[in-house]
């Protein structure tokens, strides 16, 4: 886990116990022109550029209360410092869940998950954290508390602040309270696993699954040594350079049985290749491993590319050509490729990341961002975020409105 002192230049850290105390803390910082670095569980502080200016840490961990849980309305209002594990336990008691897969859930906070807007494998069938967020209370760069959305599902009038704050990496406001819609926990869950003979076959299989009559919860394409000991895989990584397709189905027991049967039929023909289905114990282990992959262990470089799903195979091939020991988790139907490299040299920043992979992703209507990197690489903003897009002027105007002095997480995001 990253330590506070690593990527941020913190002179002092405050841990307010109330939302009003967070606002007061930011007001004081505004008066004294002091940069503010919001902190959640501190699991992802190396995501984004390093801080350039010393400032204060503003921990939200003291904000961890459940404010309201009308479970029959399928909504919950909680403070933003609640950990994802604690939230999961609250919801599980009512047989409900927030179907967002997050690594290090015992430390990661809801506010941090919203600020980083990362999504896991269930994104394909269940959507993103943005989709489940119906209300946010936050404190802007002047220390003013504001609310967007509300506590009921249909409640958006005017500008939708909730969606704006999700993924803004704490540069527009510090999130202090969140209302989420939640869903029932499905009765059953299972994976269907197939070995892939080539990247072309992987691409074709994913395209077929998008047309299939079944509705998978996740369509994962896994490649490389990180997956060698995953249960139920029909071969080792050395024998399977193109990797495995791992498809999840969830629902009632009858639905899961029916979807499994259909998937096995579809994937087995026309090659007659072996298709494996998981036991419930294997299913639980695989969900856990899929959730933890991006953050598990330290690597010289961890990238996240988002492209058209038709470009996933080319990107996987390019990453593996550069580093045959690279391990990949692709939420393939969503066009997301997470790559953990076993090596990455400073010269490769220009030669691979900027000259090859970023343009490949742009050509496929996407982008590449660095999730974490060895600090000795000294990555630039261009290398980490891939440069500003066409929405740059609009983003600057929005930033100016929320944080006129530029004190919230200065320099850490796409904007300098
Ligand atoms: C290498 C790596 C890869 C990851 N990849 C994925 C992935 O692919 N999918 C996935 O689901 N998860 C992923 N995660 C995890 C996810 O990003 C974290 O779970 C999430 O950021 C919550 O972490 P935290 O509470 O520890 O936030 P922190 O690490 O404390 O903060 C992360 C960022 O959010 C800001 N922040 C934190 N709290 C708030 C708040 N209340 N208001 C405003 N800003 C705030 C911070 O300023 C900081 O910039 C990854 C994590 C790592 C380390």
């Amino acid at each position: 886990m990253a330590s506070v002192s690593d990527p941020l230049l913190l002179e002092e850290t405050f841990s307010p116990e109330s939302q009003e105390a967070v606002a007061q803390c930011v007001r004081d910082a505004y008066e004294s022109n002091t940069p503010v670095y919001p902190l959640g569980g501190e699991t992802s502080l190396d995501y984004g550029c390093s801080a350039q200016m010393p400032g204060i840490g503003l921990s939200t961990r003291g904000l961890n209360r459940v404010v309201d849980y009308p479970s029959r309305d399928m909504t919950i209002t909680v403070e933003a410092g609640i950990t994802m594990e604690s939230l999961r336990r609250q919801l599980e008691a009512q047989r409900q869940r927030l179907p967002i897969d997050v690594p290090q859930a015992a430390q990661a906070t809801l506010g941090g998950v919203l600020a980083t807007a990362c999504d896991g494998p269930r994104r394909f069938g269940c959507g993103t954290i943005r989709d489940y967020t119906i209300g946010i209370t936050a404190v802007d760069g002047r220390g003013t508390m504001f609310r967007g959305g509300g506590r009921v599902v249909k409640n958006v009038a005017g500008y939708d602040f909730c969606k704006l704050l999700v993924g803004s990496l704490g540069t527009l406001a510090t999130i202090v309270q969140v209302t989420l819609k939640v869903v029932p926990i499905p009765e059953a869950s299972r994976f269907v696993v197939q070995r892939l003979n080539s990247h072309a076959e992987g691409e074709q299989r994913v395209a077929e699954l998008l047309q299939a009559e079944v509705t998978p919860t996740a369509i994962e394409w896994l490649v490389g040594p990180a997956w060698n000991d995953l249960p139920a895989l029909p071969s080792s990584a050395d024998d399977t350079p193109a990797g495995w397709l791992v498809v999840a189905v969830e629902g009632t027991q009858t639905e899961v049985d029916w979807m499994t049967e259909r998937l096995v039929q579809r994937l087995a023909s026309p090659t007659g290749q072996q298709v494996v289905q998981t036991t419930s114990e294997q299913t639980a282990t695989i969900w856990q491993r899929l959730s933890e992959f991006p953050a598990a262990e330290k690597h010289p470089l961890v990238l996240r590319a988002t492209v058209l799903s038709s470009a996933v195979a080319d990107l996987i091939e390019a990453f593996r050509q550069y580093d045959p020991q690279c391990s990949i988790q692709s939420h393939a139907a969503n066009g997301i490729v997470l790559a953990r490299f076993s090596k990455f040299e400073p010269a490769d920043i220009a030669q691979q990341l900027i000259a090859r992979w970023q343009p490949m992703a742009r050509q496929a209507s996407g982008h590449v961002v660095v999730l974490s990197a060895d600090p000795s690489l000294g990555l630039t903003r261009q290398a980490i975020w891939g440069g500003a897009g066409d929405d740059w002027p609009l983003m600057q105007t929005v930033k100016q409105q929320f944080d006129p002095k530029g004190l919230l997480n200065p320099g850490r995001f796409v904007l300098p």
Side-chain angles (χ1 to χ4, degrees):
M1 194 168 97
S3 100
V4 182
S5 54
D6 285 343
L8 306 181
L9 301 168
L10 301 187
E11 290 172 329
E12 201 175 351
T13 294
F14 295 88
S15 301
E17 297 282 323
S18 73
Q19 298 179 23
E20 182 44 45
V22 170
Q24 186 58 52
C25 207
V26 180
R27 279 197 290 273
D28 293 345
Y30 182 76
E31 289 305 319
S32 59
N33 294 322
T34 306
V36 176
Y37 297 98
L39 303 172
E42 300 174 27
T43 62
S44 301
L45 296 182
D46 48 0
Y47 177 48
C49 306
S50 300
Q52 302 298 321
M53 288 193 276
I56 58 161
L58 180 54
S59 174
T60 56
R61 304 261 289 268
L63 303 181
N64 53 17
R65 287 162 281 262
V66 175
V67 177
D68 191 16
Y69 183 15
S71 58
R72 281 198 297 191
D73 294 346
M74 315 271 281
T75 67
I76 187 167
T77 299
V78 290
E79 290 187 316
I82 193 167
T83 64
M84 294 303 283
E85 175 59 19
S86 173
L87 177 61
R88 188 194 65 74
R89 276 192 266 108
Q90 295 282 343
L91 295 173
E92 192 181 49
Q94 300 297 327
R95 297 288 307 151
Q96 293 178 343
R97 70 174 182 173
L98 175 69
I100 304 294
D101 314 288
V102 172
Q104 298 166 284
Q107 287 98 42
T109 62
L110 178 60
V113 171
L114 283 158
T116 53
C118 287
D119 350 275
R122 283 191 176 88
R123 176 184 172 140
F124 179 70
C126 302
T128 66
I129 184 74
R130 194 176 256 121
D131 302 323
Y132 290 90
T133 305
I134 56 175
I136 284 185
T137 305
V139 174
D140 74 8
R142 301 177 195 82
T144 307
M145 205 178 304
F146 63 94
R147 289 181 181 79
R151 289 198 194 176
V152 291
V153 174
K154 284 193 190 286
N155 191 23
V156 177
Y159 204 76
D160 194 351
F161 286 124
C162 296
K163 311 294 180 207
L164 187 65
L165 294 188
V166 177
S168 62
L169 204 70
T171 56
L172 300 180
T174 301
I175 301 165
V176 291
Q177 184 174 302
V178 185
T179 300
L180 301 161
K181 64 179 176 181
V182 294
V183 293
I185 295 178
E187 192 181 307
S189 179
R190 191 179 292 147
F191 287 96
V192 173
V193 182
Q194 184 180 41
R195 177 185 192 275
L196 294 169
N197 288 312
S198 66
H199 293 107
E201 186 190 29
E203 186 178 333
Q204 191 188 334
R205 291 289 184 205
V206 172
E208 282 168 10
L209 284 172
L210 288 171
Q211 307 293 327
E213 66 275 57
V214 296
T215 48
T217 304
I219 301 178
E220 299 283 285
W221 183 348
L222 311 178
V223 192
W227 304 109
N228 248 343
D229 57 346
L230 196 72
L233 291 188
S235 52
S236 78
D238 287 345
D239 296 337
T240 320
W244 305 268
L245 196 60
V246 176
V247 184
V249 285
E250 292 185 313
T252 63
Q253 191 62 57
T254 313
E255 285 167 341
V256 166
D257 290 342
W258 180 83
M259 288 194 282
T260 307
E261 193 187 317
R262 288 300 165 105
L263 274 174
V264 170
Q265 274 171 11
R266 183 174 267 272
L267 292 173
S269 69
T271 55
Q273 205 158 293
Q274 189 190 7
V275 181
V276 178
Q277 38 179 305
T278 54
T279 62
S280 52
E281 200 178 319
Q282 290 171 334
T283 302
T285 307
I286 294 177
W287 275 123
Q288 177 71 9
R289 290 282 300 278
L290 293 177
S291 298
E292 295 297 333
F293 173 84
E297 304 160 23
K298 280 282 166 205
H299 291 84
L301 185 73
V302 183
L303 290 184
R304 177 187 173 98
T306 309
V307 292
L308 293 172
S309 66
S310 54
V312 161
D314 288 347
L315 215 52
I316 292 178
E317 217 167 343
F319 290 156
R320 296 268 300 167
Q321 244 169 30
Y322 164 75
D323 174 11
Q325 289 304 306
C326 159
S327 288
I328 287 174
Q329 175 182 21
S330 173
H331 314 317
N334 290 110
I336 295 168
V337 183
L338 301 166
R340 279 182 2 197
F341 291 89
S342 68
K343 59 158 194 163
F344 196 74
E345 304 297 329
D348 298 328
I349 299 170
Q351 288 166 13
Q352 298 294 331
L353 179 56
I354 294 178
R356 289 199 64 210
W357 301 334
Q358 287 180 354
M360 268 182 88
R362 272 197 296 275
Q363 265 176 18
S365 307
H367 58 272
V368 177
V369 299
V370 173
L371 287 180
S372 73
D374 189 323
S376 67
L377 288 169
L379 294 182
T380 60
R381 186 177 312 282
Q382 169 70 36
I384 293 172
W385 296 113
D390 298 340
D391 50 5
W392 170 264
L394 180 63
M395 281 173 73
Q396 276 181 314
T397 311
V398 171
K399 171 77 175 164
Q400 174 67 24
Q401 294 293 319
F402 280 84
D403 180 23
K405 289 189 179 177
L407 295 175
L408 297 180
N409 263 340
R412 301 208 64 219
F413 200 22
V414 187
L415 293 167

